[in-house]
Amino acid sequence: MTDKILTPIEIGLTAAIVSIDGNEPSILTASGNDGEALEGLPFGPFDAVAHRTLEIGLRAWVEEQTGLRLGYVEQLYTFGDRGRHAQRGDTDAHVASVGYLALTRAADNTSKPQVAGATFKPWYRYFPWEDWRDARPAIIEKEIIPALETWAAQEKPDTERALARGDRVRLCFGTHGAQWDEERVLDRYELLYEAGLIEESRRDERPAALARKAMPALGAPMRFDHRRILATAIARLRAKLKYRPVVFELLPPEFTLTDLQRTVEAISGRHLHKQNFRRLVEAGALVEPTGEMSTQTGGRPAALFRFRREVLQERPAPGLRVRGRR
């Protein structure tokens, strides 16, 4: 029996670092050191000798490379699909990357990222169909739905999937009476990838993408599988809003209720009714007044609040179960 040559595996750490900049959710992007022109998330190797845990390693190289101090950090998933880093003919080690969601307050980062090519950019630049704060994005009806319905109509009847393509389109994008679920960020991205409608699908030589004569402009592509990692991070953060007070990791220690609402809207991609939102915050006892007023509102002074940390001991799921207004 001949010995099988195993492909060496390396462990990488990839960070989706979120901050709020002017009521917009932003993600830290960094250019690679290999001349790759595409934007990507910060990533680096795990050094098992220098770092006792994966999270310690993540925090260490992010601060070293960018000068940013991470606050809340949460492990997402391990991304190790074949082809995520390797190209045809590569003989280097296969990189399996552990993805992380990290939150940082803009006020905590008094200096800009210190590595060349690193900058915060709006995350809706990569997922323009996810921002419903003003209205249903026009790109859905103009570009996405027609292309997906054409793709769905080409499905063979002997498919083994639990849901047909048409049903997946309806559930993911809220067509034909289905409700839009803001947490299905990754499902929508995977559907567009499978249908060959995004640049990463063409780069990975997926048959559906190679069969297309033209590729619609559906958000900015990212290097490797970083847009998939970012979709996972956005979906996780949107879900967490409802049962954990993670939103306060993105706000300054003192804030107005308008600041809080705009931050929740920015993350969820939904417009929220002002009075209903304030009743929800009051009922949840998540904040308490500081007794001070803000004069930075551009109008009448507004009361300042802070996160009421006692709520963490009072109930197991202190979040904001917001409902958007369509």
Side-chain angles (χ1 to χ4, degrees):
M1 183 178 67
T2 60
D3 293 334
K4 184 177 180 180
I5 300 176
L6 300 178
T7 301
I9 299 291
E10 291 183 0
I11 301 298
L13 305 171
T14 305
I17 303 173
V18 179
S19 184
I20 298 295
D21 182 13
N23 299 322
E24 288 297 328
S26 297
I27 194 77
L28 183 63
T29 64
S31 59
N33 56 11
D34 54 2
E36 172 65 66
L38 287 177
E39 298 166 358
L41 302 175
F43 68 98
F46 171 62
D47 186 339
V49 175
H51 305 129
R52 182 171 54 86
T53 68
L54 295 172
E55 184 176 322
I56 289 174
L58 179 83
R59 291 179 181 275
W61 65 252
V62 166
E63 186 164 359
E64 177 183 348
Q65 290 183 5
T66 69
L68 299 181
R69 293 178 296 135
L70 298 182
Y72 179 93
V73 171
E74 175 183 347
Q75 189 176 126
L76 292 170
Y77 188 73
T78 299
F79 301 82
D81 291 355
R82 185 178 63 191
R84 68 172 304 273
H85 273 246
Q87 301 297 324
R88 289 182 182 275
D90 284 353
T91 57
D92 294 337
H94 178 69
V95 179
S97 189
V98 182
Y100 281 84
L101 166 66
L103 308 180
T104 182
R105 294 183 177 94
D108 291 343
N109 302 311
T110 56
S111 61
K112 294 182 179 180
Q114 298 170 0
V115 63
T119 183
F120 280 98
K121 294 188 177 180
W123 77 22
Y124 292 122
R125 163 182 171 82
Y126 309 100
F127 302 95
W129 55 87
E130 294 291 341
D131 188 1
W132 287 58
R133 286 173 293 176
D134 293 329
R136 182 180 174 93
I139 194 174
I140 294 179
E141 299 299 336
K142 184 178 179 180
E143 299 282 357
I144 293 176
I145 298 304
L148 283 178
E149 289 185 342
T150 299
W151 171 74
Q154 298 169 349
E155 184 176 28
K156 296 180 180 180
D158 59 346
T159 179
E160 296 181 356
R161 281 188 175 273
L163 287 176
R165 289 179 179 180
D167 290 330
R168 293 166 63 203
V169 173
R170 180 178 62 85
L171 292 174
C172 285
F173 284 93
T175 63
H176 303 292
Q179 293 293 314
W180 175 269
D181 184 348
E182 72 275 8
E183 294 181 30
R184 287 183 173 266
V185 187
L186 181 60
D187 292 338
R188 285 186 282 272
Y189 174 82
E190 296 285 14
L191 192 63
L192 294 172
Y193 179 88
E194 183 182 341
L197 292 172
I198 55 176
E199 192 58 40
E200 287 89 339
S201 184
R202 182 194 296 277
R203 183 194 62 207
D204 295 347
E205 300 182 347
R206 302 292 297 180
L210 296 178
R212 295 187 180 279
K213 295 181 180 180
M215 185 74 66
L218 300 184
M222 301 185 85
R223 66 200 325 247
F224 306 138
D225 56 355
H226 287 191
R227 195 152 50 145
R228 178 176 283 112
I229 296 174
L230 179 54
T232 307
I234 295 173
R236 178 72 63 84
L237 184 54
R238 286 181 169 183
K240 281 261 181 175
L241 285 179
K242 300 174 183 178
Y243 61 91
R244 288 289 184 271
V246 292
V247 65
F248 300 104
E249 300 287 347
L250 293 164
L251 286 161
E254 297 183 353
F255 49 84
T256 67
L257 292 182
T258 297
D259 293 333
L260 176 58
Q261 178 174 339
R262 288 176 177 172
T263 299
V264 173
E265 288 177 332
I267 295 169
S268 66
R270 305 168 71 172
H271 174 76
L272 304 174
H273 187 279
K274 180 178 178 179
Q275 296 305 321
N276 288 346
F277 177 79
R278 297 200 172 189
R279 282 193 290 268
L280 182 66
V281 171
E282 180 180 355
L286 292 172
V287 301
E288 60 186 4
T290 66
E292 303 293 331
M293 304 292 287
S294 171
T295 59
Q296 307 298 317
T297 60
R300 292 188 302 174
L304 286 169
F305 291 80
R306 58 176 166 252
F307 173 51
R308 195 175 71 85
R309 297 191 176 277
E310 291 79 5
V311 74
L312 295 172
Q313 300 176 356
E314 294 170 356
R315 61 181 191 272
L320 287 165
R321 298 185 180 276
V322 295
R323 293 185 177 182
R325 185 158 58 89
R326 292 288 177 256

